[in-house]
Amino acid sequence: MGLSLLASRALRLSRIPSRATQIFLRPIVSTRDLNTPEPATSAAPPPPPPPHRHPVGGARVHFPTPDDAIEVFVDGFAVKIPKGFTVLQACEVAGVDIPRFCYHDRLSIAGNCRMCLVEVEKSPKPVASCAMPALPGMKIKTDTPIAKKAREGVMEFLLMNHPLDCPICDQGGECDLQDQSMAFGSDRGRFTEMKRSVVDKNLGPLVKTVMTRCIQCTRCVRFASEIAGVQDLGMLGRGSGEEIGTYVEKLMTSELSGNVIDICPVGALTSKPFAFKARNWELKGTETIDVTDAVGSNIRIDSRGPEVMRVLPRLNEDINEEWISDKTRFFYDGLKRQRLNDPMIRGPDGRFKTVSWRDALAIVAEVVNQVKPEEIVGVAGKLSDAESMIVLKDFLNKMGSNNIWCEGNGPNPNADLRSGYIMNTSISGLEQADAFLLVGTQPRVEAAMVNARIRKTVRATHAKVGYIGPPTDFNYDHQNLGTSPQTLVEIAEGRHPFSATLANAKNPVIILGAGIFERMDKDAIFTVVNAIAKKHNVVRPDWNGLNTLLINAAQAAALDLGLVPESDRSIESAKFIYLMGADDVSLEKLPNDAFVVYQGHHGDRSVYRANVILPASAFTEKEGTYANTEGCAQTTLPAVPIVGDARDDWKIIRALSEVAGIQLPYDSLGGIRSRIRTVAPNLLEIDERVPATFSNSLRPESSQKIKPEPFGVTVENFYMTDAITRASKIMAQCSALLKK
Amino acid sequence: MAQVAQVLKQFRVQPNSTSLEEARKRTFEFFKLACRSIPSIMEIYTLEDVVHPSQLRASVLAEIRKNAHITNPKVIDLLLFKAMEELKNVVDHSKQRHHIIGQYVVGRQGLEDLAPTDPGTSDYLKKFYNSNYF
Ligand code: SF4
Ligand code: FES
């Protein structure tokens, strides 16, 4: 009501003055009532008590020490906040959303955009609420003419040098500047000079820059130096010559660089692959999870029709906060290339022939019924969901074979003790740690989001990080303690200086890389690590700091479901091998006469050896459960329809079982989930992390000898780790340009 | 063949049949004309590998027999006129291959289910062969 009243009054009054006076007395503010702002104190009648409001976004306030609560008044409404909150945070608790550009909850406070000005009683000027600590009894006014005028003025200054190119800007429709100028800005500007323009910077294949649009909020600079840990971006020049850029002509080399697209409040930093592809209001969002690494970052897939247009992060404080890695954000163009869309059989001439599902399944069923049970082998790929893995396992078991495993879990993996393969501390729990020992793992490439957590902890508490493994990049302070398991023995025996660090730490954390699973002496390594853990109290009733960092989305669920091969030589004697999206399994030792069935969504490595191809759906097209490295089960949801004549993984195996004459007892996802309940009930606790029940110290000591070979690099190329990312053109560009 | 085309080209609307007998004679003439044009139809529409001439003959015959119960010479004349028109269209290649196949080759017994029906398969498998979404 207020607005329309103001507008109509402004309209009525504007007719009265003559033309001449209008020209000379052009008001400073277009909104009439704001022309003579008076401090709110002079408003005589006390306003009625405002209705109770809820904090912005339904947030809850946590009081670390209840005595430190202070009371402030926001628009006359009293709120209790912990000491140390800023005025802006106090307003949020009171349910008032303050407009802002430079302030971001996860970055340091810069206070340079001035959009968040509010009026505080007894202060002569409006104050920047994001930078002002709230004091007891403060009376904050967010809705007064002074505050409104201040915002309108700031908006006008910001728009002065901002190009009016919203129609061709990719941020249009989800732009903070656009929204806030609609809400708080004036309806006209008084700027008649030339707008300034700024040269665009080349930040690499992922981030497109249109630097003229930049409003110098420095969010991107703070993100790069604080969260991503690279000093690539900075502010150059002063005054109207101020520019954001890399100091020298240089690409932004961070695995988190895509996040600057999200935090940039305007369209200065946008996604290069998404540029001019779609407007954001045409897109349909599907809330799902990422499977390109074992973190299971929460993402939103924006699709238009059958096409995935972009991937954005979703907030999940326990896993990825609000960031995602570049691989997660930009691999999606791989979903359009190299797809398998029809069942195919390799003819005698070595070429694939398209056949119907009926024929393809009939052939597979015939072959599988001819070979001996112990010659049947199944391998689940790194992108498999729990449902299809249990169906594959049941199918092979019914055929009489137990040779089934999941890529990356290595020979005879330990599936008995859940604490032995998940991240027991949990990803958010890492923030309480004060000493890290990383063994044979390069978290920056294996799990970028976990690395971001470690960096956050190191920055906040100066936790010590010790690393054992080949030289690698870190974006925080660390000590390289050695390269081989021998160093572990030294730490266990207390001969190494780092044992003192561990001993002094309150909450020490040990993280083992999943690359160790492939080593022959892994049991010995686990024994030594257990000894270290025992010695330095890493595992206590209130703290479990002994972790494994997995690298593939399917790994944890596969071990939960007990996908453990009977013998580790089964490939050499296999006559029938069923690859469910497994592309990284080495088929060199496979006998030449073996029959290879490849079920998957991409024509990747294993297809070269396949005899039959059964097209399956990718994770964007199906519903499936995945357990991440901390053991938290989450599900994907179909965002786009399947490609061609493909089918969901579990449906194919279920159909095959029937054609082969050993029908499996379920034919719906619900049925499979009840089957999972009997094997691994934790996989049904969706979005709920179920900690391991038994500690890893129960593990029997191994009599194996430690081998002196140094730890290897597990993930060679961060950008290309699986079938989808290997098919992606953007990921190929990234590996060419950004991999050092 | 050229003969047939010639006859068709010179076809004029004839005066009405005076009796049922005459209409009957005209019907036979039409049938013979159609039969004579079948080889050229087979060639124009390359039907060798989908149908045998005798099948086409049978289907023309069946079309005629469908109206066997009609005794009014006027109605028969009209039907003959329409038949002649259709034949002319066919011979002039005014139609396309799928029209012929649809109307005279498979049209008779309708599209038969080419997929083998395996009675033993479950509901699940039938749906699976059909589509991914069920
Ligand atoms: S580029 Fe974007 S995030 Fe960076 S300073 Fe400019 S407006 Fe802010
Ligand atoms: S948000 Fe407070 S000054 Fe920018």
Side-chain angles (χ1 to χ4, degrees):
Chain A
M1 183 216 99
L3 262 184
S4 60
L5 200 81
L6 283 182
S8 62
R9 201 176 306 166
L11 269 181
R12 239 181 300 126
L13 290 181
S14 66
R15 301 236 178 78
I16 300 165
S18 73
R19 226 189 126 65
T21 50
Q22 221 176 4
I23 291 169
F24 295 116
L25 297 179
R26 249 168 89 195
I28 302 211
V29 184
S30 60
T31 316
R32 280 272 164 164
D33 278 11
L34 303 188
N35 277 339
T36 50
E38 273 166 31
T41 38
S42 64
H52 183 87
R53 276 184 286 198
H54 295 283
V56 173
R60 265 166 303 177
V61 199
H62 168 67
F63 294 90
T65 41
D67 310 340
D68 274 353
I70 56 175
E71 199 180 42
V72 297
F73 299 88
V74 179
D75 294 338
F77 170 58
V79 277
K80 279 221 160 30
I81 50 165
K83 217 172 177 171
F85 260 34
T86 61
V87 173
L88 190 143
Q89 282 167 319
C91 293
E92 283 199 333
V93 175
V96 181
D97 206 0
I98 303 290
R100 87 262 332 246
F101 290 113
C102 68
Y103 175 79
H104 192 280
D105 328 340
R106 283 166 222 275
L107 302 176
S108 64
I109 293 165
N112 55 7
C113 75
R114 315 313 284 180
M115 189 63 199
C116 61
L117 293 175
V118 294
E119 197 185 340
V120 171
E121 216 169 280
K122 294 210 255 324
S123 113
K125 297 188 294 180
V127 298
S129 61
C130 70
M132 166 75 99
L135 300 174
M138 222 178 204
K139 291 201 169 56
I140 305 161
K141 306 236 155 69
T142 64
D143 223 12
T144 56
I146 284 207
K148 283 186 185 154
K149 185 192 167 191
R151 286 174 198 156
E152 203 173 288
V154 169
M155 211 58 233
E156 194 173 352
F157 275 120
L158 285 177
L159 290 177
M160 210 167 80
N161 271 324
H162 191 81
L164 299 173
D165 59 353
C166 304
I168 57 142
C169 176
D170 274 313
Q171 191 88 352
E174 50 184 6
C175 172
D176 289 355
L177 193 67
Q178 217 177 19
D179 296 348
Q180 294 184 22
S181 72
M182 290 305 289
F184 307 106
S186 156
D187 57 352
R188 72 207 68 187
R190 285 161 289 169
F191 185 68
T192 49
E193 280 98 288
M194 286 293 284
K195 284 181 189 267
R196 81 172 189 150
S197 61
V198 182
V199 182
D200 292 345
K201 313 291 184 297
N202 178 13
L203 292 188
L206 302 177
V207 181
K208 180 187 155 193
T209 62
V210 184
M211 276 311 179
T212 310
R213 292 182 191 146
C214 172
I215 57 169
Q216 274 78 35
C217 69
T218 68
R219 273 190 192 180
C220 53
V221 177
R222 283 174 283 146
F223 175 84
S225 59
E226 288 163 21
I227 311 263
V230 289
Q231 309 296 331
D232 286 355
L233 285 180
M235 179 71 100
L236 310 158
R238 300 207 38 107
S240 66
E242 222 172 40
E243 291 182 15
I244 298 288
T246 48
Y247 303 99
V248 287
E249 184 64 22
K250 187 169 175 269
L251 306 183
M252 193 172 166
T253 52
S254 163
E255 71 286 358
L256 299 178
S257 66
N259 293 302
V260 298
I261 298 166
D262 289 339
I263 57 163
C264 182
V266 298
L269 306 177
T270 50
S271 160
K272 211 173 240 179
F274 181 65
F276 308 132
K277 290 285 187 311
R279 305 298 312 207
N280 55 65
W281 55 84
E282 323 169 315
L283 303 176
K284 177 188 120 214
T286 309
E287 307 210 327
T288 176
I289 58 154
D290 166 49
V291 300
T292 53
D293 56 24
V295 180
S297 304
N298 287 215
I299 57 172
R300 193 180 91 206
I301 293 184
D302 276 355
S303 58
R304 190 177 57 188
E307 211 182 339
V308 175
M309 299 306 292
R310 64 172 177 181
V311 174
L312 293 178
R314 248 182 332 131
L315 183 72
N316 187 333
E317 293 291 351
D318 292 331
I319 297 173
N320 58 324
E321 300 184 274
E322 61 183 84
W323 320 119
I324 50 174
S325 71
D326 284 356
K327 180 164 62 170
T328 311
R329 189 184 293 266
F330 293 112
F331 75 91
Y332 61 85
D333 71 320
L335 290 165
K336 288 178 229 160
R337 291 198 178 79
Q338 301 265 35
R339 289 300 296 267
L340 302 171
N341 51 8
D342 280 310
M344 283 186 264
I345 298 180
R346 197 190 284 278
D349 57 349
R351 292 180 166 278
F352 280 115
K353 205 167 93 257
T354 306
V355 294
S356 69
W357 273 105
R358 207 176 285 268
D359 299 345
L361 292 188
I363 287 196
V364 177
E366 196 188 318
V367 175
V368 78
N369 276 324
Q370 277 165 7
V371 296
K372 288 199 221 84
E374 58 277 12
E375 290 167 345
I376 301 177
V377 170
V379 188
K382 48 170 71 161
L383 304 179
S384 315
D385 52 303
E387 284 87 357
S388 47
M389 284 194 285
I390 189 77
V391 179
L392 180 62
K393 182 170 153 66
D394 282 353
F395 172 62
L396 290 203
N397 288 359
K398 273 208 166 186
M399 291 306 301
S401 154
N402 202 11
N403 281 316
I404 169 162
W405 69 93
C406 173
E407 277 181 330
N409 281 346
N412 51 60
N414 144 53
D416 302 334
L417 279 175
R418 192 153 166 267
S419 56
Y421 56 84
I422 65 169
M423 179 160 264
N424 295 305
T425 318
S426 84
I427 297 177
S428 55
L430 290 178
E431 283 180 31
Q432 268 119 52
D434 48 6
F436 291 90
L437 176 60
L438 309 177
V439 183
T441 177
Q442 296 88 35
R444 198 169 174 190
V445 286
E446 288 175 15
M449 293 330 301
V450 173
N451 190 58
R453 266 316 156 128
I454 302 179
R455 181 180 152 78
K456 187 176 175 190
T457 314
V458 172
R459 248 180 72 85
T461 65
H462 297 285
K464 296 269 178 310
V465 180
Y467 165 69
I468 307 179
T472 176
D473 261 2
F474 278 95
N475 46 9
Y476 38 83
D477 283 343
H478 71 285
Q479 292 168 283
N480 201 336
L481 309 177
T483 58
S484 76
Q486 212 49 50
T487 321
L488 273 181
V489 180
E490 283 169 25
I491 295 177
E493 291 167 1
R495 287 185 280 132
H496 198 283
F498 198 76
S499 8
T501 316
L502 279 182
N504 293 335
K506 251 196 13 249
N507 292 329
V509 160
I510 303 178
I511 301 180
L512 296 170
I516 296 175
F517 287 162
E518 307 278 354
R519 282 178 71 104
M520 295 325 283
D521 57 347
K522 65 174 168 140
D523 287 331
I525 293 178
F526 276 111
T527 308
V528 177
V529 170
N530 266 341
I532 300 179
K534 209 166 272 159
K535 192 159 163 204
H536 298 298
N537 252 340
V538 177
V539 183
R540 310 186 297 257
D542 61 326
W543 175 256
N544 190 341
L546 188 53
N547 300 305
T548 316
L549 180 57
L550 301 177
I551 44 176
N552 300 334
Q555 261 176 313
L559 292 173
D560 281 348
L561 295 172
L563 262 69
V564 178
E566 219 159 22
S567 90
D568 44 349
R569 305 220 171 287
S570 42
I571 275 214
E572 283 142 60
S573 59
K575 285 276 147 50
F576 176 93
I577 175 162
Y578 200 99
L579 303 174
M580 193 170 73
D583 287 298
D584 294 275
V585 50
S586 146
L587 296 177
E588 274 156 31
K589 298 223 186 82
L590 192 68
N592 280 337
D593 59 344
F595 189 83
V596 181
V597 180
Y598 181 79
Q599 166 185 331
H601 38 81
H602 275 75
D604 205 42
R605 294 175 184 166
S606 295
V607 164
Y608 293 105
R609 179 63 185 80
N611 295 82
V612 172
I613 294 177
L614 304 175
S617 46
F619 81 98
T620 47
E621 294 146 18
K622 68 179 168 194
E623 189 182 342
T625 307
Y626 291 84
N628 74 355
T629 182
E630 55 169 6
C632 174
Q634 305 180 91
T635 51
T636 59
L637 287 177
V640 288
I642 47 160
V643 172
D645 206 15
R647 301 281 189 271
D648 290 347
D649 284 293
W650 70 266
K651 288 182 184 159
I652 300 175
I653 302 169
R654 163 65 180 75
L656 175 62
S657 76
E658 188 173 334
V659 179
I662 43 150
Q663 188 171 342
L664 292 171
Y666 30 69
D667 53 14
S668 66
L669 269 183
I672 300 174
R673 293 202 175 132
S674 350
R675 163 82 180 111
I676 289 180
R677 188 178 300 280
T678 61
V679 191
N682 59 297
L683 287 177
L684 298 175
E685 304 285 328
I686 300 298
D687 294 335
E688 208 65 56
R689 178 174 182 269
V690 183
T693 338
F694 299 108
S695 109
N696 203 24
S697 55
L698 292 182
R699 205 166 171 162
E701 284 194 15
S702 151
S703 49
Q704 263 182 352
K705 280 268 168 311
I706 290 253
K707 297 235 166 57
E709 299 130 49
F711 290 112
V713 177
T714 325
V715 176
E716 296 279 351
N717 180 353
F718 166 67
Y719 294 102
M720 290 178 146
T721 47
D722 49 63
I724 307 179
T725 46
R726 277 193 291 260
S728 156
K729 194 171 149 200
I730 303 167
M731 290 294 104
Q733 282 172 354
C734 287
S735 357
L737 288 170
L738 302 179
K739 219 182 85 185
K740 278 151 282 177
Chain B
M1 264 120 262
Q3 260 176 336
V4 177
Q6 205 61 27
V7 174
L8 284 171
K9 204 173 272 168
Q10 280 159 14
F11 173 76
R12 295 280 174 279
V13 182
Q14 290 175 339
N16 283 350
S17 309
T18 48
S19 64
L20 190 60
E21 221 21 63
E22 196 181 341
R24 190 176 144 84
K25 212 177 107 229
R26 283 190 193 170
T27 311
F28 279 115
E29 266 164 24
F30 168 76
F31 180 59
K32 284 180 195 155
L33 188 65
C35 288
R36 276 197 295 273
S37 55
I38 280 179
S40 68
I41 293 172
M42 299 279 292
E43 193 184 301
I44 295 172
Y45 297 96
T46 53
L47 296 173
E48 285 79 17
D49 41 356
V50 287
V51 72
H52 194 266
S54 65
Q55 275 169 282
L56 280 184
R57 261 193 310 269
S59 77
V60 176
L61 195 58
E63 289 292 319
I64 294 174
R65 285 249 162 88
K66 227 166 45 187
N67 299 317
H69 58 282
I70 294 171
T71 49
N72 186 345
K74 274 191 180 168
V75 177
I76 297 176
D77 277 352
L78 187 76
L79 286 171
L80 271 179
F81 180 76
K82 289 174 80 174
M84 194 60 96
E85 206 176 19
E86 171 82 3
L87 181 64
K88 200 156 142 38
N89 283 343
V90 172
V91 172
D92 287 351
H93 209 164
S94 302
K95 299 203 167 216
Q96 290 179 359
R97 188 163 183 257
H98 68 269
H99 294 129
I100 308 295
I101 295 179
Q103 285 170 24
Y104 300 105
V105 181
V106 295
R108 308 244 34 99
Q109 60 275 66
L111 265 186
E112 87 195 86
D113 200 358
L114 290 174
T117 41
D118 14 23
T121 55
S122 69
D123 216 23
Y124 173 88
L125 208 53
K126 276 185 204 130
K127 285 192 238 154
F128 175 83
Y129 287 141
N130 240 341
S131 106
N132 183 43
Y133 297 106
F134 54 86

